[in-house]
Amino acid sequence: MGTLAGKEEGKGLPRGRHHLPAEEARARQRARILRATLSAVGELGHRATTMREIARRAHVSLSAVYGHFPDKETCVLTAVDEAMDALPATVEEHLAALGDSALPSEQLREAIRANLAFFASEPELARAFHLELRAAGPEARGRYFAILARFAERGRELHRRGDPEGAARTPDLAYEAAVGAIEQLVAARIHAGRTDELPELTDDAVRIARALAGRPGGRFAR
């Protein structure tokens, strides 16, 4: 799975006797549990996922899962949070590759494309976040909307970089509306089992962002 948890952290313990330090062995086990959580939630949905199923997929005992997380909700939230931590750096890497001479509109398009490509490369995370997190209880719903708010703030930051005056005149609700509209397109595509096609939404998502958050004639809309 692409970026999720990192290839090294996601490794299982060696077969048979091993001599890993206890701290490293525990970290690897925790990473396996988190990967198994996203696998289960992505395939079965939050409601049907159980701690026992997570343990089965992680190839650990049920008590081992409870040794790391007190309940399923905490396990799911942690798995989503830690997987999502890789997204900002991924987007910044893509923007840096454009170079300082890139137009604001080019930066906008690349940022959106990088976000969509990230989720396309992590289908289990995509389903867990975009489709299942709101069904995982009040705290998880709050986390879902908080992450969308971070997306909106990143859009504002990108706007400020390329067109500070235009960003100053753009209300916060415009960025939130753009994120909400794009999220609807993304969630529908994932629900239809077409997660790998998410990057194809780039042009539509750019048009939505420009229409809602890009002042007509402004640098962000060019």
Side-chain angles (χ1 to χ4, degrees):
M1 287 180 60
T3 60
L4 180 57
K7 292 182 179 179
E8 191 65 30
E9 290 183 6
K11 287 182 178 179
L13 296 176
R15 291 184 178 276
R17 295 178 63 85
H18 63 82
H19 302 285
L20 292 176
E23 185 175 343
E24 181 179 350
R26 180 172 173 79
R28 288 194 181 191
Q29 184 180 74
R30 181 180 184 277
R32 290 217 317 278
I33 291 169
L34 293 179
R35 291 173 67 86
T37 300
L38 290 183
S39 171
V41 172
E43 180 182 340
L44 304 176
H46 177 267
R47 181 172 296 181
T49 295
T50 64
M51 293 289 267
R52 189 173 299 280
E53 176 62 18
I54 292 170
R56 186 188 70 80
R57 292 181 183 231
H59 303 291
V60 300
S61 67
L62 183 59
S63 61
V65 179
Y66 278 109
H68 289 274
F69 303 102
D71 51 48
K72 181 178 71 174
E73 285 68 28
T74 302
C75 202
V76 171
L77 283 174
T78 303
V80 170
D81 279 347
E82 295 194 9
M84 292 288 287
D85 282 346
L87 180 55
T90 299
V91 174
E92 287 301 322
E93 287 176 7
H94 282 262
L95 291 177
L98 285 179
D100 295 335
S101 62
L103 296 173
S105 58
E106 293 173 330
Q107 295 178 9
L108 170 66
R109 189 180 194 285
E110 185 59 23
I112 289 175
R113 192 194 70 79
N115 271 277
L116 295 172
F118 175 85
F119 285 113
S121 71
E122 300 287 2
E124 292 166 350
L125 170 62
R127 291 191 66 84
F129 172 68
H130 292 285
L131 300 184
E132 297 296 332
L133 200 57
R134 281 175 289 180
E139 184 178 356
R141 281 194 296 275
R143 193 71 52 86
Y144 169 81
F145 289 115
I147 291 173
L148 291 189
R150 292 208 300 267
F151 287 162
E153 179 55 31
R154 287 172 192 157
R156 175 180 275 282
E157 289 174 4
L158 187 61
H159 198 177
R160 286 186 186 129
R161 291 184 198 176
D163 185 8
E165 293 183 2
R169 290 190 291 269
T170 303
D172 290 342
L173 283 177
Y175 302 102
E176 294 177 19
V179 168
I182 294 169
E183 171 67 5
Q184 178 67 22
L185 294 180
V186 170
R189 192 65 62 97
I190 295 170
H191 177 68
R194 299 163 62 191
T195 305
D196 61 320
E197 299 176 11
L198 288 180
E200 297 176 10
L201 295 173
T202 299
D203 289 340
D204 289 331
V206 168
R207 282 192 284 269
I208 289 170
R210 287 175 175 170
L212 294 174
R215 178 172 55 89
R219 296 173 65 200
F220 199 53
R222 292 175 188 168

